Amino acid sequence: MAEAEAMQLKEEGNQHFQLQDYKAATKSYSQALKLTKDKALLATLYRNRAACGLKTESYVQAASDASRAIDINSSDIKALYRRCQALEHLGKLDQAFKDVQRCATLEPQNQSFQETLRRLNTSIQEKLRVQFSTDSRVQTMFEILLDRNSEADKLEKAANNLIVLSREEAGAERIFQNNGMALLMQLLDTKRPELMLAAVRTLSGMCSSHRARATAILHAVRIDRICSLMAVESEEMSLAVCNLLQAIIDALSDEDKQEHRGKEEALVLDSKKDLKQITNHLLDMLVSKKVSGQGRDQALNLLNKNVPRKDLAIHDNSRTIYVVDNGLRKILKVVGQVPDLPSCLPLTDNTRMLASILINKLYDDLRCDPERDHFRKICEEYITGTFDPQDMDKNVIAIQTVSGILQGPFDLGNQLLGLKGVMEMMVALCGSERETDQLVAVEALIHASTKLSRATFIITNGVSLLKEIYKTTKNEKIKIRALVTPDKTILYSVATTLVNCTNSYDVKEVIPELVQLAKFSKQHVPEEHPKDKKDFVDMRVKRLLKAGVTSALVCMVKADNAILTDQTKELLARVFLALCDNPKDRGTIVAQGGGKALIPLALEGTDVGKVKAAHALAKIAAVSNPDIAFPGERVYEVVRPLVSLLNTQRDGLQNYEALLGLTNLSGRSDKLRKKIFKEKALPDIENYMFENHDQLRQAATECMCNMVVNKEVQERFLADGNDRLKLVVLLCGEDDDKLQNAAAGALAMLTASHKKLCFKMTEVTTQWLEILQRLCLHDRLSVQHRGLVIAYNLLAADAELAKKLVESELLEILTVVGKQEPDEKRAAVVQTARECLVKCMDYGFIKPVS
């Protein structure tokens, strides 16, 4: 009875369907489904109800009913086609394509199926393009950010994704054109640190290499607001805003060397005015109490990097002249800050040193004697104007200013020492009861004593005071400075004492068998003193650094050759090397001028002394910002000592740290890469890439990764008859993640620079494709990203080469990676994979079913 009733309800449903009463038809089919268990009838009822769903636009229900019919009969062609139609309306084009493809296989002559196949094929390709397009991704981010009901984590994620998009030209332009500036200004107004940081970083990306956008952003955000953001206590925010300003300055200065025409050129004709405005605000930041120590440091960094000429062959030094006229007094005020005085500006440990570096760079950038005389007169007027017989604080600041200049342009500092009353005031301050006065005075005397004529004055007028200070003070910073006096033998004695304190003399290796033999023969066997053990030595080194030993060493290095012998230089180099042992201490050493002081020690003196100094330089160069550690042209003098350590006569640690130092330097500029190449370091670096020692091989490969940006280095890889490229490809296949990362970086740069190297890569080893696939599937995102960049370079190089890659498993890898959700960490990886897929579509290789 139930089956018969079900059949009757099915017929009623069919009649309602023919009359286009789809709701009634759906009701009849639904009632019939409850009454029957016959599989054939169930399949028909589900299929028919799916047809009703399509007519009423209930596509989810239609797809579900069609699926139930297919579960009963997988070859039900009507159910397959109806599910295809429902899925197409739901936007699930790839699933719809599979269903209609199955239909076309069952009935190849059916024109309706063939037409649907073609339509879906076109739609899928268009969807892929839209999905991968920058426009779509930017629009999605904006929708989340504009929605006031967005969850906090989604809002933050969207903001961070904008950062990634802003670093691509298409993304930056899309953000800019879609009212992005107004939105980013809203993010800055939220006062939420993470969103403000994301907004600043997005603005940096948008400014990069684009003068018109940089100009518009500068005017929209305003330079005063940008500087106020840089003035905050947060180091992360201050650095991010510094990077934004640098991007703006680079764009306005045409550092990117891009050509702009038409409307864009009209927008940026007045960039000199904007640059002058930026410079003025940075100079104002130097003397503002509202600016944090971090903000002041970033302002000094920007002035250091952008005001002096990068190449003295350039004739125009107008920026320097402008800063000298309008800002030198402000810089001198920073140099003269005394931390213990109530009037002191907020500072960091590096602030005064950065200001001294800036004074030095400005002075070196002057082209003629009249310009230098003008510079000197401003300094003289500032110092003499600061002296006040009634105010000891002002006198201390004046002497601190002289001391700071002596750490910059030394010749200028020595001229200022000749001003009436300066040396006398230094000596007089030594007799003050305030420790602040004593510390400033002794520091200044040390810097002043490196010239024989000044040293004679100090011996005559100040030695008794220095001795008295040494005996009475409990401040170790003052004690150690009071020790450094200008007598030749005393210099040597102080250096010897410091060598002993730091255990930096050479220790012969003790052979246990010989010790036993000596004991057996009743010979005296020297034993290590308990306080020569590493823990005690480390403690002494820390106390010396805390007491300011670096400043004392720097002054000793500056002494006249009549005072400073080669033997003393060697001792000083040993002490510097011991002080640099702990990476955490190297920043302090740099801040007190240790980086600059090591360069002459590495170039002159005994052979042992030069090696020790070069090793200390390598330790500093490996972890420090070269622009701060070795300001100006000095950084080029560091290269030769480091290259001298790439020698089989040196030990493994010296080789390793020299490679790390060269890696850091080679990452700074092409001029430094040219210098390294000119010093013939490339063959040595290549040799260490063959080393069995894992760390040496890794360090050499990381160095090469930076060096391959240089055209002369690329020529070595292009040359026939060598295995350089083969080595890099094989290193990409090693198990060491860090080694793979470095090698993949080098290979990505090389394949991006020359198509010939893309072809050469496929010829040097039969394992190249397997290695590339492993890189593209790597667990470490940085390695995976570099692998995908290599894949893109190969795809872009040639259609035939691209076809070979598409026919391999690489296409499947690219598809899997490209479909992933591009969160902040994976954004670059997913985007690169999608660019590879788009390139495949451009060639017409990609199959929609893939």
Side-chain angles (χ1 to χ4, degrees), residues 304 355-365 375 405 407-410 596 631-632 634:
N304 266 312
S356 292
I357 290 170
L358 179 55
I359 289 174
N360 189 56
K361 283 188 169 185
L362 293 172
Y363 191 74
D364 286 348
D365 200 41
F375 192 103
I405 295 172
Q407 294 176 67
F410 192 63
K596 292 190 296 181
R634 287 189 181 90

Side-chain angles (χ1 to χ4, degrees), residues 307-480:
V307 174
R309 291 169 292 171
K310 291 181 175 62
D311 186 350
L312 295 179
I314 298 169
H315 185 72
D316 182 18
N317 70 338
S318 57
R319 288 187 189 180
T320 293
I321 298 298
Y322 181 81
V323 170
V324 169
D325 288 341
N326 297 278
L328 181 54
R329 292 171 182 82
K330 295 174 182 177
I331 303 166
L332 290 169
K333 183 173 180 178
V334 178
V335 168
Q337 292 300 297
V338 180
D340 295 331
L341 294 183
S343 62
C344 186
L345 298 166
L347 306 174
T348 70
D349 292 342
N350 294 326
T351 308
R352 288 189 63 247
M353 177 55 69
L354 289 170
S356 292
I357 290 170
L358 179 55
I359 289 174
N360 189 56
K361 283 188 169 185
L362 293 172
Y363 191 74
D364 286 348
D365 200 41
L366 300 175
R367 292 184 294 122
C368 57
D369 287 341
E371 290 179 359
R372 283 184 277 274
D373 288 341
H374 177 59
F375 192 103
R376 177 179 50 78
K377 284 176 184 176
I378 292 174
C379 294
E380 286 178 356
E381 288 169 6
Y382 181 86
I383 292 163
T384 54
T386 307
F387 277 128
D388 185 346
Q390 307 302 319
D391 191 337
M392 187 57 74
D393 284 359
K394 287 187 175 181
N395 295 332
V396 172
I397 289 169
I399 297 304
Q400 183 83 318
T401 306
V402 174
S403 182
I405 295 172
L406 281 164
Q407 294 176 67
F410 192 63
D411 292 342
L412 173 63
N414 271 300
Q415 287 178 312
L416 297 176
L417 288 173
L419 288 173
K420 184 179 179 181
V422 170
M423 292 296 294
E424 289 80 2
M425 181 57 72
M426 287 184 188
V427 174
L429 286 174
C430 290
S432 170
E433 293 181 359
R434 284 199 311 184
E435 281 195 348
T436 299
D437 300 351
Q438 292 176 3
L439 184 58
V440 169
V442 175
E443 179 81 36
L445 283 172
I446 291 170
H447 291 297
S449 68
T450 52
K451 283 288 181 183
L452 206 55
S453 57
R454 310 295 178 201
T456 305
F457 178 90
I458 297 167
I459 290 169
T460 306
N461 299 281
V463 168
S464 58
L465 278 171
L466 289 171
K467 288 179 179 177
E468 187 62 29
I469 288 174
Y470 183 79
K471 289 176 185 177
T472 58
T473 186
K474 292 180 180 179
N475 187 322
E476 291 190 350
K477 289 184 179 180
I478 297 174
K479 272 183 180 289
I480 199 159

Side-chain angles (χ1 to χ4, degrees), residues 207-279:
C207 289
S208 181
S209 303
H210 202 290
R211 294 179 68 196
R213 277 202 303 267
T215 305
I217 287 168
L218 178 64
H219 292 172
V221 185
R222 301 190 326 275
I223 183 61
D224 57 329
R225 187 175 189 188
I226 294 173
C227 289
S228 68
L229 287 170
M230 193 165 76
V232 300
E233 287 288 348
S234 167
E235 184 177 358
E236 193 175 20
M237 174 60 82
S238 188
L239 180 59
V241 180
C242 176
N243 290 336
L244 167 59
L245 267 177
Q246 186 60 59
I248 292 173
I249 291 168
D250 285 347
L252 297 185
S253 306
D254 253 346
E255 291 292 335
D256 48 66
K257 305 299 180 191
Q258 290 199 357
E259 292 184 10
H260 303 281
R261 297 184 177 87
K263 292 181 181 178
E264 188 173 295
E265 181 62 32
L267 283 171
V268 291
L269 286 174
D270 202 18
S271 61
K272 286 186 179 179
K273 183 178 178 182
D274 289 329
L275 286 168
K276 188 174 287 187
Q277 188 184 30
I278 292 170
T279 304

